[in-house]
Amino acid sequence: LIEPAAIFLRTGFGYEFKKRVAISFNAGFDYHWNYAVSAFPTYGTIKYNITEDEGDTFFIEGSYGKMWRPSSNYPDGKYYSFGIGSQVAGGDRWNTILRLDFHRKSIYGFENNRLDSVSLGIGFSFF
């Protein structure tokens, strides 16, 4: 049912307004081993916390930015993502994040000029 096909690494920094809306600027590395495609996305994100209870949140998030390609096989393109997730408050300002995201990388000359993927993510935030 689920077949791993890529690895995504992300980092970023941002600011949260009144525990509801957050903006962030991010960078990452993506490698899709089925296609031998690597990418370095840089993007901005807006996140909206649907619910918040004692530091635990359920959120939706959208991102848009530029995707840089390290090889000349395909040109640079655009990067889009949309996702949902949950952040569980932890001690000492470390929070665990579980998420489900849809990613689209526009790659001119690739199949249908794009590479779409769905990812399950586990991460953390510190604030």
Side-chain angles (χ1 to χ4, degrees):
L1 178 64
I2 297 175
E3 180 180 333
I7 188 164
F8 301 163
L9 303 172
R10 301 283 191 264
T11 190
F13 64 93
Y15 184 78
E16 187 173 66
F17 301 93
K18 299 190 182 208
K19 299 203 179 274
R20 257 320 180 206
V21 177
I23 58 169
S24 62
F25 300 97
N26 309 277
F29 172 72
D30 298 357
Y31 181 67
H32 297 264
W33 55 79
N34 289 355
Y35 303 106
V37 171
S38 299
F40 294 95
T42 55
Y43 55 96
T45 297
I46 187 160
K47 178 173 106 175
Y48 178 74
N49 291 332
I50 298 169
T51 63
E52 191 272 327
D53 182 30
E54 296 181 14
D56 297 342
T57 63
F58 179 72
F59 62 86
I60 58 172
E61 183 174 271
S63 302
Y64 174 77
K66 178 86 171 162
M67 186 205 55
W68 309 92
R69 296 271 305 122
S71 74
S72 60
N73 293 346
Y74 301 105
D76 296 340
K78 293 186 175 155
Y79 173 80
Y80 313 87
S81 75
F82 177 78
I84 60 171
S86 180
Q87 176 176 290
V88 179
D92 298 326
R93 301 199 279 178
W94 287 91
N95 303 298
T96 303
I97 300 172
L98 303 171
R99 55 187 310 131
L100 176 67
D101 294 301
F102 170 78
H103 306 269
R104 174 167 284 171
K105 298 169 186 78
S106 63
I107 304 173
Y108 182 75
F110 192 74
E111 300 171 8
N112 297 323
N113 293 324
R114 66 179 187 252
L115 176 57
D116 295 338
S117 57
V118 174
S119 70
L120 299 170
I122 300 172
F124 68 91
S125 67
F126 174 76
F127 59 87

